């Protein structure tokens, strides 16, 4: 995991500072090192770079005036935690800067070929091969084709952001790791991030990329492409109901304590928002569907607690850690309802299990907190628990909102929806 953030057309000309502030909102995604690359207005022919190991915390950047910048918070997978290994990574000519979330599984073969073609590497990361691969392809291709073809040739779950000095664009591609773009129409500023909190201060008008999609962002806007055909697609933005305070500490010393306190409201809110979707589950259950719950980590524990809620309502459900789902797949069929629980909706093992169950004809119920995720898009029924962005790594308000949701569903299946709803709402009064 890591945090990706970029801005284009920063109206304050402080793109590097804007990126740094955005990265601080993404620190929960990776915190061993960070870095920023910018086109300084004073030297538009050269990329300026700043990289540091350690947490971003109260860091400041010394990079000067710029209206385009990209940045990254790293969680190292290949190569130690050093300044050199921190992202962004540049090509030999320092005209392209790359930030990356994921693992390039075939980076060794690519690196060997590039070294034979005289590319000079500065880091031990898998990521750096992407910058040199794009540089190599640029000898014969446009920047769009060079980036898309490079991305198509790497193996693994990856998302990249590429800043190109010649075209003054940021190009991003997604396959398995999250990416979202935001458009601030008032100021004509455009954003790229791993997650919305990075740019929520500027806009809530967003598009979550699907696997196999890429974007080209320039001063005039954002264009969406299919990575295989390279054809442009229509981009359909959504407006999120998240507020700026959701991504701020709002006077609390850290996000964990803020999110613990928010449970006073989030648990009760959960009880009011999914009535229609829960009715759909009740209808399927009446038709003989069997429920199985999958999740990883906290979401798995949530499922285990849910098993008791269902048992108390005379319903037996199976609960699997999504990472151990495969041996049990033989029990899944067209009459199975898979409850896939995930805060982010991007948990890799939960996605693999849910996709595989869907292939066998099961219906997928996504019980998620973040919006626009892969899990949400593949689900037949989506139950957003509405706790708002959960930034602390430890799950609190999303966990309890998911727990309350399972309680509600278990009771709804036993014709006790309203009583369960009242009980949950009363809980709010009791803890205030
Ligand atoms: N594999 C890359 C690295 O080790 C990216 C890791 C990340 O997603 O933060 O630098």
């Amino acid at each position: 995991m890591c945090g990706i953030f970029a801005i284009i057309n920063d109206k304050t000309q402080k793109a590097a500072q804007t990126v740094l502030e955005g990265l601080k909102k993404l620190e929960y995604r990776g915190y061993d090192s960070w870095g920023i690359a910018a086109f300084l207005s004073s030297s538009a022919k050269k990329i300026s770079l700043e990289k540091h190991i350690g947490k971003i915390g109260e860091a400041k950047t010394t990079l000067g005036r710029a209206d385009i910048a990209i940045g990254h918070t790293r969680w190292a997978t290949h190569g130690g935690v050093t300044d050199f290994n921190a992202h962004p990574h540049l090509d030999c000519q320092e005209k392209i800067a790359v930030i990356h979330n994921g693992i390039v599984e075939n980076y060794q073969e690519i690196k060997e070929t590039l070294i034979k073609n005289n590319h000079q590497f500065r880091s031990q990361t898998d990521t750096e091969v992407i910058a040199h691969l794009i540089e190599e392809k640029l000898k014969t291709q446009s920047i769009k084709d060079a980036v898309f073809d490079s991305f198509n040739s790497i193996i693994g779950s990856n998302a990249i952001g590429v800043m190109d000095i010649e075209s003054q664009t940021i190009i991003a591609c997604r396959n398995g790791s999250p990416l979202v773009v935001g458009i601030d129409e008032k100021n004509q500023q455009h954003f790229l991030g791993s997650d919305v909190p990075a740019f929520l201060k500027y806009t809530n008008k967003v598009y979550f990329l699907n696997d196999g999609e890429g974007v080209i962002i320039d001063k005039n806007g954002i264009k969406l492409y299919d990575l295989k055909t390279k054809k442009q697609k229509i981009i359909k933005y959504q407006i999120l109901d998240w507020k700026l305070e959701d991504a701020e500490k709002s006077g609390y010393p850290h996000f964990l304590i803020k999110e613990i306190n928010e449970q006073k409201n989030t648990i009760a809110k959960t009880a009011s928002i999914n009535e229609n979707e829960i009715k759909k589950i009740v209808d399927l259950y009446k038709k003989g569907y069997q429920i199985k719950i999958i999740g990883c980590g906290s979401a798995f524990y949530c499922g285990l607690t849910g098993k008791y809620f269902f048992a108390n309502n005379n319903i037996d459900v199976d609960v699997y850690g999504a990472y151990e789902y495969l041996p049990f797949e033989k029990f899944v069929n067209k009459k199975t309802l898979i409850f896939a629980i995930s805060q982010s909706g991007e948990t890799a093992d939960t996605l693999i299990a849910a996709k595989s169950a869907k292939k066998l004809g099961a219906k997928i119920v996504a019980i998620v907190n973040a919006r626009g995720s892969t899990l949400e898009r593949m689900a037949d029924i989506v139950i957003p628990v509405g706790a708002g962005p959960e930034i602390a790594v430890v799950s609190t308000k999303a966990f309890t909102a998911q727990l309350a949701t399972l309680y509600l569903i278990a009771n709804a299946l036993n014709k006790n929806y309203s009583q369960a709803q009242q009980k949950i709402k009363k809980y709010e009064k009791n803890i205030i």
Side-chain angles (χ1 to χ4, degrees), residues 1-3 29 72-79 85 87 89 100-104 125-127:
M1 210 159 81
C2 79
R29 298 186 56 87
H72 185 267
T73 53
R74 183 173 184 233
W75 200 338
T77 65
H78 291 63
N85 287 342
H87 304 207
H89 291 286
H100 167 224
N101 176 16
I103 292 174
V104 181
T125 62
D126 50 340
T127 306

Side-chain angles (χ1 to χ4, degrees), residues 92-125:
C92 297
Q93 296 182 61
E94 306 192 356
K95 296 198 165 205
I96 295 161
V98 174
I99 48 178
H100 167 224
N101 176 16
I103 292 174
V104 181
E105 289 174 14
N106 54 338
Y107 85 101
Q108 285 288 14
E109 300 110 84
I110 299 174
K111 191 167 178 175
E112 278 161 28
T113 314
L114 288 166
I115 288 172
K116 279 187 200 139
N117 286 334
N118 296 321
H119 287 266
Q120 306 282 327
F121 282 79
R122 306 173 186 94
S123 78
Q124 288 83 46
T125 62

Side-chain angles (χ1 to χ4, degrees), residues 14 16 62 90 103 112 142 179 185 193 236 260 290 293 305 311 320 330 365 377 379 396 405:
K14 290 183 177 166
T62 53
L90 307 185
I103 292 174
E112 278 161 28
S142 68
L179 273 186
E185 279 165 332
K236 287 187 191 140
I260 287 171
Q290 296 271 311
I293 303 178
T305 313
Y320 311 124
K330 49 176 121 23
V365 178
R377 282 192 292 254
T396 54
T405 300

Side-chain angles (χ1 to χ4, degrees), residues 141-395:
Q141 291 181 303
S142 68
I143 183 70
K144 173 185 149 198
D145 289 349
V147 175
F148 288 1
D149 283 351
S150 297
F151 189 74
N152 285 337
S153 66
I154 62 173
I155 298 173
S157 269
N158 292 294
I160 59 166
V162 179
M163 184 170 73
D164 172 47
I165 200 162
E166 288 298 332
S167 58
Q168 301 260 316
T169 53
I170 289 170
I171 304 181
C173 307
R174 172 189 161 136
N175 177 36
S177 298
L179 273 186
V180 55
V181 286
I183 184 154
D184 168 8
E185 279 165 332
K186 195 165 134 239
N187 298 306
Q188 275 301 303
Q189 305 180 116
H190 314 304
F191 300 90
L192 170 75
S194 303
D195 204 350
V196 179
F199 57 72
L200 196 56
K201 186 171 164 191
Y202 305 95
T203 184
N204 60 354
K205 187 168 178 181
V206 305
Y207 176 76
F208 292 94
L209 274 74
N210 291 297
D211 284 347
E213 288 182 341
V215 282
I216 300 184
I217 315 174
D218 65 16
K219 289 193 177 171
N220 301 318
I222 304 176
K223 287 187 181 143
L224 177 70
Y225 292 90
D226 180 290
L227 287 175
K228 286 275 172 319
T229 63
K230 298 184 194 146
K231 291 217 171 91
Q232 200 179 334
K233 298 167 80 173
I234 293 169
I235 185 161
K236 287 187 191 140
Y237 290 100
Q238 57 173 293
I239 309 285
L240 295 177
D241 65 354
W242 291 358
K243 299 181 294 301
L244 177 58
E245 307 87 84
D246 288 336
E248 303 284 341
K249 287 187 202 145
S250 309
Y252 289 100
H254 46 76
F255 281 109
L256 181 59
I257 191 76
K258 176 186 177 228
E259 289 163 10
I260 287 171
N261 276 281
E262 282 174 343
Q263 293 175 109
K264 285 186 281 196
N265 303 320
T266 50
I267 294 172
K269 181 183 166 199
T270 303
S272 316
I273 52 180
N274 290 307
E275 193 165 347
N276 289 337
E277 301 312 295
I278 291 175
K279 271 192 193 134
K280 288 185 196 164
I281 297 174
V282 173
D283 288 344
L284 289 174
Y285 181 71
K286 279 189 196 150
K287 287 184 186 152
Y289 277 77
Q290 296 271 311
I291 296 168
K292 296 184 189 294
I293 303 178
I294 58 170
C296 292
S298 304
F300 173 53
Y301 298 131
C302 181
L304 285 177
T305 313
K307 190 173 170 71
Y308 286 88
F309 298 153
F310 284 95
N312 286 340
N313 286 285
N314 309 316
I315 301 160
D316 190 23
V317 302
D318 294 318
V319 185
Y320 311 124
Y323 28 78
E324 288 170 347
Y325 158 82
L326 275 184
F328 304 98
E329 192 174 61
K330 49 176 121 23
F331 307 121
V332 170
N333 56 43
K334 288 190 174 114
K335 280 284 175 122
T336 308
L337 208 47
I338 294 278
F339 283 19
I341 307 176
S342 169
Q343 190 289 125
S344 64
E346 299 291 349
T347 315
D349 289 331
T350 306
L351 287 175
I352 293 169
K355 268 183 206 157
S356 156
K358 200 173 166 80
K359 267 200 196 135
L360 294 171
K363 289 208 184 306
I364 309 297
V365 178
I367 302 183
V368 287
N369 185 40
R371 301 307 315 270
S373 65
T374 308
L375 188 59
E376 175 170 336
R377 282 192 292 254
M378 66 172 290
D380 300 278
I381 299 175
V382 179
I383 309 271
V385 299
E390 190 172 69
I391 295 181
V393 176
V394 178
S395 187

